[in-house]
Amino acid sequence: MAIKVLVVDDSSFFRRRMSEIINADPRLTVVGNATNGKEAQDGDILRAGVAYLAPGGQQMMVDGRAPNARLRIIDSGERMNYKPCVDVTFGSAAKVFNDRVLSIVLTGMGADGRDGARMLKANGSTVWAQDEESCVVYGMPQAVAKAGISSHDLPLDRIAECILIELGLS
């Protein structure tokens, strides 16, 4: 089973909704939930079948070497516009896992995720983006798609099915 690392919009609605969606699958455990304040912690060791939710207002990085990689939660001060920043998480995952990452850029404003996705793709990992029709805000996925980084642009209702196929579980 794959490890899931999530970087979610820093609003309680999106964080809570993402946790609800993932918790609906009995095979997964979510670490980080806006409803109870529990989030991924600095030093958490990445484990298969666990979805880690990035804490708001901080950066979540992957550190170490597979299979003993762990999360680093750091304060980036005023240097970063996005907290958490998808580019930071994707970039660090690219260094640790090279070509063994499936990344999916979902609805969101701006171009956060594009540079990190570029690093993942350069290392041979797979990058997908949510399609424009199913996005609430087609900023982040558009940045990845327009840059030619995503190999698939998928509607939201097909992403879970495509993940299962990609992982050989369907």
Side-chain angles (χ1 to χ4, degrees), residues 34-35 42 56 68 90 92 101 110 122 144 153 170:
T35 60
D42 186 52
N68 298 313
F90 279 4
S92 64
V101 176
V144 171
D153 300 326
S170 176

Side-chain angles (χ1 to χ4, degrees), residues 73-86:
I73 308 298
I74 61 169
D75 179 12
S76 59
E78 299 303 315
R79 298 175 295 164
M80 304 293 293
N81 289 331
Y82 306 114
K83 299 175 189 178
C85 177
V86 179

Side-chain angles (χ1 to χ4, degrees), residues 147-168:
I149 300 167
S150 60
S151 58
H152 296 296
D153 300 326
L154 301 165
L156 187 59
D157 64 357
R158 290 220 38 245
I159 290 175
E161 169 193 349
C162 291
I163 291 170
L164 293 174
I165 292 168
E166 182 78 10
L167 297 177

Side-chain angles (χ1 to χ4, degrees), residues 2-169:
I3 294 168
K4 288 83 177 167
V5 177
L6 302 176
V7 183
V8 180
D9 183 285
D10 195 23
S11 74
S12 61
F13 170 77
F14 282 110
R15 298 168 73 74
R16 184 175 53 251
R17 184 68 184 122
M18 184 59 69
S19 291
E20 289 168 358
I21 290 167
I22 295 166
N23 272 326
D25 186 331
R27 298 172 295 177
L28 298 177
T29 302
V30 176
V31 175
N33 187 322
T35 60
N36 67 12
K38 185 177 179 203
E39 298 172 315
Q41 301 293 309
D42 186 52
D44 280 349
I45 296 173
L46 296 178
R47 296 179 322 196
V50 177
Y52 298 89
L53 188 62
Q58 295 179 296
Q59 302 301 338
M60 184 167 73
M61 301 174 67
V62 181
D63 190 27
R65 294 179 179 238
N68 298 313
R70 56 183 65 236
L71 294 175
R72 300 289 304 165
I73 308 298
I74 61 169
D75 179 12
S76 59
E78 299 303 315
R79 298 175 295 164
M80 304 293 293
N81 289 331
Y82 306 114
K83 299 175 189 178
C85 177
V86 179
D87 285 327
V88 169
T89 305
F90 279 4
S92 64
K95 291 176 185 174
V96 173
F97 293 110
N98 297 306
D99 64 346
R100 295 175 295 156
V101 176
L102 169 60
S103 61
I104 306 166
V105 179
L106 301 174
T107 188
M109 281 192 256
D112 185 25
R114 180 185 54 210
D115 294 338
R118 185 176 284 122
M119 293 187 333
L120 285 166
K121 184 174 181 177
N123 283 359
S125 284
T126 302
V127 178
W128 296 343
Q130 185 177 353
D131 71 354
E132 181 175 10
E133 293 76 30
S134 66
C135 279
V136 174
V137 178
Y138 187 56
M140 292 167 58
Q142 179 184 38
V144 171
K146 278 193 168 184
I149 300 167
S150 60
S151 58
H152 296 296
D153 300 326
L154 301 165
L156 187 59
D157 64 357
R158 290 220 38 245
I159 290 175
E161 169 193 349
C162 291
I163 291 170
L164 293 174
I165 292 168
E166 182 78 10
L167 297 177
L169 300 174

